[in-house]
Amino acid sequence: MKLSMKKLLPASVIAIAALLPFEAQAHRQWLLPSATVLSGSDTWVTVDAAVSNDLFYFEDFPLRLDGLQVTAPDGTQVKPENTSTGKHRSVFDLNLTQEGTYKIAVVSDGLFANYKLNGANKRWRGDAQSFAKEVPADAQDLKVTQTQNRVESFVTRGKPGTAALKPTGQGLELAPATHPNDLVADSAARFRLLLDGKPASNVKVSILPGGKRYRDQTGEFNITTDADGQFSVKWPAAGMYWLGAEVTDAKASLKPATERRASYIATFEVMPQ
Amino acid sequence: MRRLLTVTLTGMAAAPLAGTALAADLSVKVELPQLSVAEYHRPYVAMWIEHADQTPVSTLAVWYDGKKPNAEGTKWLKDLRQWWRKSGRDLTVPADGITGATKVPGEQALTFTDGKAPLGKLAAGDYQLVVETAREAGGHELVRVPFTWPPKAPATASAKGEHELGSVTVNLKP
């Protein structure tokens, strides 16, 4: 089966929007593969997908999988198996039939509106098609923002590959210089942040280690991309890490948005030496 | 392992060595400790040579379960995580003269000859012999023994693991 993402996208936007309180900035979306470095012939990974404050605990909302796109090492799309969405998390299995690197992504592109109606503040989320139907024509102080979100993780069976890592050129994306499944504690990894396929300079990238429940501090650290959108991360210890960045600009492509907010999130596994 | 190695070495003997002095030898003794644990599985072991800066040179031996149907034993090769990252994932297993069955606790001895597979022709310089081990439902350990090649005189160097490996001894013979 070939997944038609275009058709599925509006549903995903609504589903994610319904789950995310508008003020809940700290709620982080994430994908968590059971393993990221694998060997063997009949190889499977299972992936948790959730939205939570603390990483990586599925204790708040599931991440809806409508916008799920899994790219195989040869660039083709893979159909996830045993997909289910529960109270606190979504989950799916991937059969890694090919050697190389798979990109797992949950992608959405929708609209968010703020307006006043009869003096009351209103908020709305949805897709471009439903905007005209659902947002009243007489809405006052209307501000519409396009939201482009991409949540990713990577798994490799055998020798790492790069074909699946190719950016789409839309929204905020990561172009790894260091392979995302080749990350080791105490060593540096280099990445480039791209906005619509071009270097995203001077953007704050936030990084948090997992395991928050068993320590006091979040462990968050921030890095700013350079003029070429590049940044380097020195992983303080082995473990799972969450990386997030967001850009706001006036380059909205969905009407009638005047502003665009693009976000990128990825989960990386850092191995011990 | 022994049998495979012999076959390989014999095969390589045809290489023109006439006129050169006797090739230097590198022998390794690895001690796999007897562990008193409820569930014991023989460890997976990788042995390789790397430069002083830890970049890999050549894999000398890999002991894993190659007898399981459908190559199921390859699932845990990645647990030899440093070897896997540096060169294991580039190696097709089984690899003649390199891979062999897992070993029982005790001492294992292997000898490698300069200019012959799997050691190959080692350029003069500082190296480390690395032994990495990973045991199902058990621990992981890695031991490095530095040495200089080629040896001018017979030399011995060794290091000791704490949990999963006993002594690892390298003997060099000019």
Side-chain angles (χ1 to χ4, degrees), chain B residues 54-104:
Chain B
Q54 299 194 2
T55 53
V57 177
S58 55
T59 296
L60 298 181
V62 179
W63 301 334
Y64 78 107
D65 188 348
K67 291 237 159 62
K68 279 195 161 61
N70 307 317
E72 280 167 30
T74 57
K75 179 177 174 179
W76 299 284
L77 283 174
K78 51 95 181 160
D79 291 339
L80 297 166
R81 62 175 186 249
Q82 207 167 113
W83 169 74
W84 182 253
R85 184 170 69 244
K86 289 178 173 176
S87 61
R89 63 196 188 190
D90 297 324
L91 182 75
T92 304
V93 294
D96 199 17
I98 296 173
T99 54
T102 53
K103 312 294 183 206
V104 292

Side-chain angles (χ1 to χ4, degrees), chain A:
Chain A
M1 190 194 96
K2 219 176 143 190
L3 280 177
S4 169
M5 265 17 274
K6 285 251 171 61
K7 234 171 273 171
L8 289 172
L9 265 177
S12 100
V13 171
I14 295 161
I16 293 171
L19 284 167
L20 283 175
F22 288 107
E23 323 294 348
Q25 288 295 329
H27 270 117
R28 298 182 178 94
Q29 304 176 46
W30 47 266
L31 290 165
L32 188 71
S34 54
T36 62
V37 176
L38 298 107
S39 59
S41 46
D42 185 30
T43 309
W44 290 77
V45 288
T46 189
V47 183
D48 288 327
V51 183
S52 70
N53 283 320
D54 289 344
L55 301 164
F56 289 92
Y57 304 106
F58 35 85
E59 55 187 0
D60 295 318
F61 311 110
L63 181 67
R64 299 285 166 179
L65 300 178
D66 309 85
L68 177 62
Q69 304 173 5
V70 181
T71 309
D74 67 359
T76 58
Q77 294 293 303
V78 180
K79 186 183 176 296
E81 296 183 44
N82 305 320
T83 298
S84 93
T85 294
K87 179 75 181 160
H88 289 312
R89 65 168 166 173
S90 290
V91 67
F92 55 93
D93 293 334
L94 294 174
N95 188 1
L96 311 181
T97 57
Q98 299 177 26
E99 284 247 357
T101 300
Y102 289 73
K103 176 160 81 176
I104 309 163
V106 172
V107 183
S108 66
D109 193 353
L111 293 174
F112 166 53
N114 265 315
Y115 59 93
K116 276 189 178 151
L117 196 65
N118 304 324
N121 288 320
K122 300 277 185 190
R123 291 175 181 134
W124 173 90
R125 263 186 204 270
D127 60 62
Q129 287 78 24
S130 56
F131 179 85
K133 279 179 271 170
E134 294 172 14
V135 177
D138 58 347
Q140 291 139 16
D141 299 339
L142 177 67
K143 190 187 174 195
V144 186
T145 303
Q146 179 180 0
T147 52
Q148 287 179 316
N149 298 312
R150 176 172 281 274
V151 184
E152 292 186 341
S153 196
F154 308 89
V155 300
T156 294
R157 177 190 144 198
K159 195 175 177 163
T162 54
L165 306 180
K166 204 172 164 277
T168 66
Q170 289 188 332
L172 205 54
E173 291 179 283
L174 199 69
T178 305
H179 194 282
N181 293 135
D182 237 350
L183 310 178
V184 184
D186 295 323
S187 48
R190 290 193 63 77
F191 302 95
R192 172 175 276 154
L193 199 63
L194 302 173
L195 183 61
D196 300 332
K198 295 181 193 76
S201 60
N202 202 32
V203 176
K204 188 181 97 173
V205 178
S206 172
I207 296 163
L208 289 99
K212 167 67 183 72
R213 188 178 290 167
Y214 312 112
R215 57 173 190 266
D216 292 332
Q217 302 303 313
T218 63
E220 178 173 11
F221 57 99
N222 298 303
I223 298 164
T224 304
T225 61
D226 68 14
D228 290 321
Q230 296 184 98
F231 63 101
S232 174
V233 184
K234 193 174 180 197
W235 310 100
M240 284 287 185
Y241 286 81
W242 183 95
L243 178 151
E246 192 176 279
V247 169
T248 304
D249 64 15
K251 293 181 181 167
S253 59
L254 292 182
K255 282 180 179 171
T258 51
E259 185 184 79
R260 181 259 302 259
R261 195 165 68 230
S263 74
Y264 179 83
I265 289 165
T267 304
F268 297 110
E269 184 173 30
V270 176
M271 302 302 282
Q273 282 281 337

Side-chain angles (χ1 to χ4, degrees), chain B residues 20-52:
Chain B
T20 58
L22 267 178
D25 271 354
L26 181 150
S27 318
V28 184
K29 277 184 195 156
V30 178
E31 198 188 333
L32 298 179
Q34 191 88 45
L35 299 169
S36 88
V37 290
E39 183 187 342
Y40 181 81
H41 301 275
R42 295 180 192 177
Y44 274 33
V45 175
M47 188 187 299
W48 74 96
I49 288 177
E50 61 183 24
H51 293 289

